[in-house]
Amino acid sequence: MHDAEYAYSTACIREAENRLLSMSFMEQLIDADSYTTALQMLSDKGFEIKGGLEQALLEYKQAAWDFLLDVVPDKEELSFLIVTHDYHNLKAILKSMISNKEPELYYLSPALTDPQLLYTAVKNHRFDDDIRPFLSQTISYGYELLTETLDGQLVDLYLDKQALVEMKMLSEQAKSEVVRNYTDAYIAVANMRIALRLSKSQRDCSLNGGIFCPCELIDIDKLTMQMGKSQAQVLEYFENTELKELCAAYQSSVATFEKKCDDYLLSLLEDAKLSSFGIEPAIAYYCAVQTQLKVIRIIMNGKSIHLPTEKISERVRNLYV
């Protein structure tokens, strides 16, 4: 699809960007004298708070996604942005088999696949009905892995990897260097998070095919060789990669590390602001919406437990606007 065909969608997105919340508003939200006052400020900005804050944020994100589906010519190019939600929902469904809890409360949306379709597939042990082949194969093996091992963490690792593999496959459909670079960095950061989490717990997890998703920024073979060693050795590996700045953040605190990761990924979409055509503005806009909602959650969670304003500010991510 020719980039010029995105002229209309880009114009719509530029107008929508003007309605994103600014950092100055977030600072006012942090300084609000109470949680209730902060809620009212969000309500004044158009969030439907009556059903609860979390519901308001979910509705806002869904509306942003629906908006993009309306204006973007090739909707398939957006798929990589939400494919991981399918795998999160699959986790919830598989774990509900063990916990005897209903998975609906844990579903994420928007998603490429109706969670009820996934639930029916798992419940009936039929994994090939109306589900794309890659996900169908993942469900089948994930179900087998869970029933044979009853190891929830091992299943999580498998599904996390599969989510990243399909994300990479779908991102290549966009034929955009910005999208490919962003996806590769997203996968590299996800691999880093997994490696640091496992090295901290000192748990030896092995899967057929490995636990890391291949990417350009890091050598997963070398990273795999570090697993089972000390976390200091795992960090030493990352200090010799393009993710070295994240190492210092991790050594400061986990909260600082998570903030640095999010800021790093969003910074990779800076060039999308300068693009007049193509899918890039849509990708950047949706990522900006997700960051905005994450910042609101951080602030409001801090307000709810009366965290000092300076502590809340330390956790706030950079915004796209």
Side-chain angles (χ1 to χ4, degrees), residues 144-195:
E144 179 182 334
L145 190 64
L146 181 64
T147 54
E148 287 184 358
T149 68
L150 297 180
D151 189 332
Q153 187 181 32
L154 195 62
V155 174
D156 281 353
L157 287 170
Y158 170 68
L159 295 181
D160 286 344
K161 178 189 175 180
Q162 293 296 93
L164 296 173
V165 170
E166 188 168 15
M167 181 184 186
K168 184 175 184 177
M169 292 165 52
L170 292 173
S171 72
E172 293 171 354
Q173 296 179 9
K175 300 180 177 63
S176 163
E177 185 177 357
V178 171
V179 170
R180 287 195 298 272
N181 290 342
Y182 173 81
T183 302
D184 194 75
Y186 183 98
I187 292 170
V189 169
N191 284 332
M192 184 178 187
R193 283 170 164 147
I194 292 168

Side-chain angles (χ1 to χ4, degrees), residues 192-193 196-197 200 231 235 246-262 298 314-315 317:
M192 184 178 187
R193 283 170 164 147
L196 291 175
R197 184 172 70 248
K200 183 177 182 179
Q231 188 173 82
L235 279 169
L246 301 182
C247 295
Y250 184 83
Q251 290 169 327
S252 174
S253 71
V254 173
T256 302
F257 171 71
E258 291 298 332
K259 169 180 162 51
K260 189 72 172 179
C261 288
D262 291 342
I298 290 170
E314 289 173 1
R315 292 165 169 77
R317 276 62 170 159

Side-chain angles (χ1 to χ4, degrees), residues 92 267 276 300:
S267 73
S276 298
M300 297 305 288

